[in-house]
Structures are given as C-alpha cells and as structure tokens.
Amino acid sequence: MATRKYYNTWLGIIARCNDPDNKRFKDYGGRGIVLHSTFIRYSAFEKYIEDHLGDKKEGESLDRIDVNAGYVPNNLRWADAEVQNGNKRNNSNVRLQQEIRSRKAVMRMSRRGLS
C-alpha cells in the first residue's frame, strides 16, 4: 500500500503540467513538460522514486535532470537548491572535466579553488 510520502510532490507536478489555470503551467505543461503515463497512478510514481531514487535528504526536492524533458524515468533525481538553481533554462553551461555545468557553478568552484 502506498504511504503517500511524495503525494504533494505528485499533485504539484500534475497541476503544473495539466492545469492551464495553474500559475506555473506556462513553464511546464504550456511548453510540453509532461508526467510520464506510468506515473499517472500515484502508487507507480511512489514506487519508482523508492526503487530508483531512494529517500530524499534534508533540503532536497525532485528535479528534472534535463529541464526540457518531462517527469519521466531516468530524468528524475533528488537535488538541493544549489543544483536546481544551476539547472534552469536561462543558464549558460560549459563543459568542465567531462561534465556540463552552469557558468555560475564553475565560477563558485574557481573561487573555492576546486577546478
């Protein structure tokens, strides 16, 4: 039986992706971001998170790895605010040590001496 542990997260996704009256719809459903058909049932959504992502840590929330793709398998992760802030459409990214990072993240790393 589902515990409804991530129920509010799921409801928020559905609203952003499907409800034109939702204030965030233009940034989600309005530009084609969808909830994968498998996740229409809450129990499937919760099972995927538990099986593939595990428990979220303090300060984390659900994030889409590719901001232009939907809430679909292999595009979800737990991320803190710093990671999520670097994962926005208005960021410019650079390749650093075989990883793509936002310019802001590279600047923070260089200030800390972590190239």
Side-chain angles (χ1 to χ4, degrees), residues 31-45:
R31 61 182 201 89
I33 303 301
V34 298
L35 178 65
H36 192 270
S37 60
T38 303
F39 300 150
I40 295 300
R41 285 185 3 263
Y42 173 73
S43 59
F45 177 77

Side-chain angles (χ1 to χ4, degrees), residues 65-88:
I65 297 164
D66 177 351
V67 1
N68 294 308
Y71 293 91
V72 298
N74 301 318
N75 193 42
L76 301 175
R77 65 181 172 192
W78 293 123
D80 61 23
E82 184 175 340
V83 169
Q84 288 195 16
N85 284 331
N87 189 28
K88 293 182 177 181

Side-chain angles (χ1 to χ4, degrees), residues 6 9-10 13 16 28 35 45 48-49 53 56 60-65 71 75-79 84:
Y6 306 110
T9 299
W10 178 75
I13 293 167
R16 289 189 300 275
Y28 290 84
L35 178 65
F45 177 77
Y48 176 84
I49 288 176
L53 306 182
K56 72 177 184 174
E60 291 181 328
S61 58
L62 196 61
D63 182 48
R64 289 173 294 119
I65 297 164
Y71 293 91
N75 193 42
L76 301 175
R77 65 181 172 192
W78 293 123
Q84 288 195 16

